[in-house]
Amino acid sequence: MTGPDGMTMLPSAFARLRGLLGDLDPPPGRDLVPLHLGEFRRAIPAGHLDALSDAEAWSRYPPLGGTAELRAAYRRWLGRRFGPAVGRREETIAIEPTPGSKQAIAAAVALAAGRDRERDGARASGPPRVILPNPFYPTYLAATEAVGARPVFYPAGPAETEPGGGGGSAAAAIAAALRRAGGQAAAAIVCNPGNPGGEILSTATLRTVRTIAAAAGAVLIVDECYTDLGTTTVPPGFLTVVASDAAQPPGTAAGGGPFLVLHSLSKRSGAPGLRSGFVAGDAATVAEYAAYNRACGVSSPPPVCAAAASLWSDDSHVEARRDELTRIWDLADTILGDLPGYRRAAAGFFLWLPVGDDEQTARRLWRRDGLTVMPGRYLAVADAGGNPGAGHLRVALVHPEEVMAEALSRLRSTLTRPLACPKPVRNR
Ligand SMILES: Cc1ncc(COP(=O)(O)O)c(C=O)c1O
């Protein structure tokens, strides 16, 4: 596939996985367990979705910008989650609903790239640069390539962070990427907590990243869609940094540039089908996103707004999910804890597991165990040191405990078995 400027766009990780496994049959008579996709397979608690059955409401065009009830629910949640100052700071932190965070990431990158092109109309230094982690959530790269911008990667992953604090090396890595981009970028993307590694960046790191992104003229896009799935610690939010800097006497806090923080119900509430999230950012950047989405994007229908307001207003279902996730990680510790390189993630439901050959191992797990897992190389691109995702599997711990216990036992059994002569890999 070719994007603008003749850049080659990779097929999606899911398409590559289908190609990888397409010539193999799973074992007959075994329950197939999909572990390649980050969707927490649990019913949404009764009551939250009642509004969806309001047939009359579906016959109306969605209100642009959501409902007042939904916007108030965002503010209350921001206040509960990141401190009252964040919920109150309407002049510093603007909000706008999004149809999930995927589309918002793509729109934010496109808008930032457009702004960069305008700013540097006469510049001969090539396409806008977008700074992104590697490995990454694939939309970061797809969105960059779709608008003919140039990705400049920084290493992401467990080695970059200390769960619950530290993480200074992540800021250093982003600073180095910005230097490689020539000191100026259209956007810089940070995923906190990370996907696939589940690493958590500290408040200090977020503050440093804010300063260096501003110095490079970059819109800082902070993807916090896993923020409520910290199982070892509560991940800090970027908006806490913004609110606390705004409360300092003028001239004492390091300046910040344009920013957008992305939140979503997909992981927090396990409701990816609802396509509901929001962005929070500085007034100008949110206004630009809102103008774009209201004219060219997707607004949420009133029943979705009502369901979303109900979910953002309730923390008990999120606590129950987090408790269950903690028990599943305990299971993983017990079943896989002694495998070389096993590491419990600080947040989220992805196990990022070192294996020999990630593609061959994914094929074995499908053929022998009926498990689908994501080869790490599909979530990264090669840099000077090779593909940092290669040799890893991303395993989504998203099923009920009894299903996970069975699936992880199968995984262990295959990973600890000597490798038989592997079949050749086709369709790549
Ligand atoms: C890091 C990250 N950001 C964004 C998304 C997109 O989520 P949404 O369903 O809100 O579009 C995902 C989904 O897997 C993700 O892992």
Side-chain angles (χ1 to χ4, degrees):
M1 216 186 307
T2 306
D5 296 349
M7 288 183 175
T8 304
M9 296 176 76
L10 286 172
S12 82
F14 298 114
R16 293 175 80 187
L17 180 62
R18 276 195 301 278
L20 178 73
L21 305 181
D23 63 325
L24 297 177
D25 290 324
R30 288 206 112 165
D31 289 339
L32 308 181
V33 189
L35 300 173
H36 62 290
L37 184 61
E39 94 193 346
F40 208 62
R41 302 261 179 127
R42 232 63 92 249
I44 293 162
H48 292 300
L49 303 184
D50 285 356
L52 299 181
S53 57
D54 177 355
E56 156 67 17
W58 286 104
S59 67
R60 277 178 260 140
Y61 270 109
L64 303 177
T67 58
E69 178 201 24
L70 178 58
R71 299 177 77 93
Y74 297 152
R75 290 272 175 211
R76 285 195 304 272
W77 176 74
L78 287 174
R80 291 198 307 283
R81 177 63 182 82
F82 300 113
V86 172
R88 276 198 309 270
R89 284 222 163 254
E90 301 199 14
E91 72 291 359
T92 322
I93 299 169
I95 52 175
E96 178 72 7
T98 62
S101 38
K102 178 159 74 172
Q103 187 263 6
I105 292 163
V109 168
L111 292 168
R115 201 194 291 176
D116 189 71
R117 283 194 170 99
E118 254 170 46
R119 180 174 57 188
D120 297 312
R123 188 178 62 155
S125 54
R129 315 303 201 247
V130 177
I131 311 299
L132 28 140
N134 189 24
F136 45 68
Y137 168 57
T139 293
Y140 303 156
L141 179 59
T144 301
E145 292 180 332
V147 295
R150 177 168 302 159
V152 181
F153 296 103
Y154 63 90
E160 293 300 311
T161 62
E162 302 152 34
S169 60
I174 293 169
L178 282 165
R179 280 194 298 278
R180 275 186 281 117
Q184 182 176 315
I189 304 180
V190 170
C191 188
N192 184 42
N195 172 5
E199 65 280 4
I200 293 175
L201 302 179
S202 70
T203 303
T205 294
L206 294 171
R207 180 166 279 118
T208 308
V209 171
R210 182 178 197 213
T211 309
I212 56 182
V219 178
L220 183 56
I221 300 171
V222 188
D223 183 347
E224 295 189 357
C225 71
Y226 293 95
T227 195
D228 272 343
L229 298 188
T231 59
T232 55
T233 185
V234 181
F238 185 75
L239 297 177
T240 312
V241 173
V242 173
S244 102
D245 286 354
Q248 304 304 311
T252 55
F259 66 95
L260 274 185
V261 181
L262 299 142
H263 288 293
S264 171
L265 290 174
S266 297
K267 316 296 173 181
R268 172 186 197 270
S269 296
L274 208 54
R275 308 312 303 140
S276 188
F278 69 98
V279 288
D282 65 282
T285 308
V286 171
E288 193 184 31
Y289 170 79
Y292 170 84
N293 192 58
R294 292 177 188 200
C296 306
V298 177
S299 298
S300 292
V304 171
C305 291
S310 176
L311 288 165
W312 286 112
S313 301
D314 174 50
D315 297 326
S316 63
H317 73 286
V318 185
E319 275 155 33
R321 255 163 231 284
R322 220 173 14 239
D323 289 349
E324 188 181 357
L325 192 55
T326 302
R327 291 195 298 275
I328 294 173
W329 274 111
D330 290 346
L331 254 180
D333 288 354
T334 307
I335 298 172
L336 306 175
D338 63 339
L339 295 185
Y342 170 87
R343 179 186 150 278
R344 182 181 176 126
F349 40 55
F350 290 127
L351 167 63
W352 185 239
L353 187 65
V355 290
D357 180 319
D358 48 329
E359 286 186 321
Q360 287 297 349
T361 309
R363 282 170 64 80
R364 287 176 80 204
L365 289 167
W366 174 239
R367 176 76 197 92
R368 190 169 178 270
D369 302 302
L371 307 176
T372 45
V373 294
M374 187 60 82
R377 76 182 66 185
Y378 297 173
L379 303 170
V381 293
D383 58 20
N387 182 320
H392 292 80
L393 294 179
R394 193 189 73 176
V395 183
L397 309 181
V398 288
H399 298 276
E401 281 164 84
E402 60 282 6
V403 178
M404 285 316 309
E406 164 65 19
L408 294 179
S409 301
R410 288 189 215 165
L411 185 87
R412 179 189 173 83
S413 149
T414 291
L415 293 185
T416 51
R417 250 169 88 97
L419 193 59
C421 192
K423 283 191 175 174
V425 175
R426 294 205 334 243
N427 294 332
R428 273 186 290 153

